Amino acid sequence: MTGRGDPTRGRRLPVARHGVLRQPHPLMQVLTVLGVIAGVVVVSAASVVGYAAVGLVTDFAANSVALEDEPAEPPSLGPLPGPITMVVTGTDECEEEIADSFGGRCKGADAAGKLNDVNLLVHISDAPRRVTVVSFPRDLMVPIPSCTSEDGTIAPALRKQQLNAAYGHGGLGCVVDTLSELSGLSVPYAAKVTFGNVINITDAIGGVDVCIAGGGIRDRHTGIDWPAGMRTVSGFEALQFLRTRHGVGDGSDLGRISNQQQYMSRLVRKLVSDEVLTDVGTLGKLAGTAVNNVTPSDSLANPVRLVQIALAAKDVPFDDITFLQYPTLEDPYDMARVVPDYDAAEQLWDALVANQPLQLTGEAGKNDAVVVVEPPTAGAPTDPPADGADPGAGETPVDPAPPAEGTVVLPESITGSTAAQETCSVGNVGE
């Protein structure tokens, strides 16, 4: 079997679940898609209503990165025809202001490294519009193609390498090429944020409320010792929450992805809330912060293109915004790593190409890291499962109704949730 059945074909992934929400403001809908890069589209939305200055857009374009599959310049303002595919990566660079907090990662020979530890593929279909966000484990062992870095250096192809080495191998374009080959999808748009950038974006909106279930989170590796319940994280706490692995679920990187997806979902809720949308000062601050904290591809540096992408996603209902975690198998040569489950992923990529609706049958979060909770009443905070309660009791069963005609029922190995669901992270106090 060729194409998606071999190491250079398309695959897919699982994600976390989220609660029932009202439909967001049209020009902010794309925020639901981009999570930590949501501020990029805030810039485009803000420019439409007059908040973004020309100088900000100029600064944004000055830091852009060229990609191989970049489209032509947008001819006019209006929804961008689909499909639209974008890669968003988060790197754990040892920035001066946070290096001391990274512990051993930022000391010795590893200090100069730049690892793409967060890797998202965002797909917006053509009409009818649907949004799918696929998260790829950093420990996924995949082929990395030959890449040309920004300075023109050509790095050789690697037959099997950990995914988070792609950025160091050839920059943002190399991450894009790797995920493009893995999925079989052309990727004309991309953006990169560092963990330090995430702190700044979170602070610009006054923090993000996250939910902790179980007995709380304790992780000596990131310095977390937090009780169960709702917690507003900002500044370095936001970075701690995103980086914790040992403190949630079974302590695996797969569990950490689900935890990060809860953060992204709740960041989106904050961004599309009246608290941000109706506050000109907050919106303007976020626009400026995004410009100074996101490295876009050249194709995203055009403000008209940003608005077109926002308009393309503006009417997508939360039930059709799906967060998934790429399906994996244990690496037979290294139990600490995973390899692609190509057969399971094939069903996802085929569905995206055919623009078919998806039905999830897998759990909300991988490796017991998150649990679905009942949606709160209007204006009320989420109540996480009580200490000592079975966190799995909140798992949402699959809708018993038969799927609509044309719906692709994904295998249980593809875990995830929709934006119409809400999750809490299952704390692990053992570390």
Side-chain angles (χ1 to χ4, degrees):
M1 186 175 177
T2 60
R4 291 186 186 145
D6 60 37
T8 60
R9 75 182 208 188
R11 312 294 181 267
R12 87 168 239 180
L13 94 81
V15 127
R17 315 199 177 242
H18 312 59
V20 177
L21 306 171
R22 66 177 177 83
Q23 202 62 26
H25 185 283
L27 288 183
M28 304 295 285
Q29 173 71 22
V30 76
L31 298 180
T32 308
V33 182
L34 302 182
V36 294
I37 198 182
V40 174
V41 180
V42 172
V43 175
S44 68
S47 66
V48 174
V49 295
Y51 297 145
V54 174
L56 293 179
V57 175
T58 301
D59 291 341
F60 191 51
N63 296 320
S64 63
V65 176
L67 300 180
E68 290 186 5
D69 292 338
E70 289 188 355
E73 291 296 311
S76 62
L77 182 62
L80 190 66
I84 303 166
T85 307
M86 178 185 306
V87 161
V88 179
T89 187
T91 57
D92 71 343
E93 302 172 36
C94 292
E95 299 157 290
E96 183 177 352
E97 61 271 24
I98 63 172
D100 290 343
S101 303
F102 269 69
R105 164 67 181 86
C106 289
K107 297 178 181 179
D110 292 336
K114 297 180 180 181
L115 304 175
N116 49 298
D117 274 355
V118 177
N119 301 280
L120 309 175
L121 187 147
V122 181
H123 182 81
I124 305 173
S125 70
D126 205 347
R129 298 285 192 179
R130 311 179 216 278
V131 175
T132 306
V133 182
V134 181
S135 296
F136 296 81
R138 68 170 190 167
D139 295 335
L140 182 66
M141 303 301 292
V142 294
I144 294 181
S146 175
C147 300
T148 303
S149 61
E150 294 178 49
D151 63 5
T153 303
I154 299 177
L158 303 174
R159 186 182 66 83
K160 184 180 181 182
Q161 185 66 40
Q162 195 164 303
L163 175 60
N164 72 343
Y167 187 82
H169 194 60
L172 179 60
C174 197
V175 180
V176 170
D177 291 346
T178 300
L179 295 185
S180 179
E181 289 200 2
L182 190 61
S183 65
L185 302 176
S186 174
V187 182
Y189 308 102
K192 184 207 78 167
V193 293
T194 68
F195 282 144
N197 298 152
V198 172
I199 290 176
N200 295 333
I201 292 173
T202 303
D203 287 353
I205 61 171
V208 174
D209 295 330
V210 296
C211 177
I212 301 171
I217 296 178
R218 184 179 303 152
D219 180 3
R220 61 183 175 81
H221 300 278
T222 54
I224 291 180
D225 189 359
W226 300 343
M230 296 300 298
R231 186 183 187 91
T232 301
V233 296
S234 60
F236 183 63
E237 279 198 355
L239 181 58
Q240 287 176 296
F241 186 77
L242 288 170
R243 293 190 65 232
T244 187
R245 184 185 78 196
H246 300 279
V248 293
D250 65 354
S252 69
D253 185 56
L254 301 181
R256 170 161 51 188
I257 288 177
S258 296
N259 188 60
Q260 291 171 342
Q261 289 167 338
Q262 190 221 150
Y263 175 93
M264 288 190 293
S265 177
R266 292 183 183 274
L267 170 61
V268 165
R269 296 178 194 187
K270 182 70 174 284
L271 287 168
V272 302
S273 70
D274 291 338
E275 185 177 347
V276 173
L277 283 176
T278 62
D279 189 323
V280 175
T282 299
L283 191 59
K285 181 180 179 182
L286 180 56
T289 300
V291 164
N292 292 318
N293 287 275
V294 174
T295 301
S297 60
D298 288 347
S299 53
L300 271 186
N302 187 307
V304 175
R305 181 69 78 192
L306 285 171
V307 176
Q308 288 181 313
I309 293 175
L311 291 174
K314 73 181 181 66
D315 292 325
V316 179
F318 285 113
D319 283 336
D320 285 331
I321 299 173
T322 307
F323 295 89
L324 303 171
Q325 187 172 144
Y326 185 84
T328 61
L329 301 169
E330 185 178 283
D331 188 337
Y333 301 102
D334 185 349
M335 295 181 61
R337 303 290 180 263
V338 292
V339 295
D341 183 346
Y342 291 123
D343 291 336
E346 173 120 26
Q347 298 179 55
L348 170 65
W349 303 131
D350 286 346
L352 293 186
V353 171
N355 193 13
Q356 293 174 287
L358 305 175
Q359 178 169 308
L360 297 169
T361 62
E363 296 177 350
K366 196 77 172 178
N367 295 60
D368 302 319
V370 299
V371 60
V372 175
V373 295
E374 292 298 323
T377 56
T382 302
D383 289 326
D387 188 9
D390 177 11
E395 284 292 338
T396 301
V398 176
D399 187 347
E405 184 178 355
T407 297
V408 174
V409 180
L410 297 174
E412 291 185 3
S413 59
I414 299 179
T415 61
S417 64
T418 71
Q421 296 172 294
E422 186 169 352
T423 58
C424 287
S425 296
V426 180
N428 177 352
V429 298
E431 291 288 338

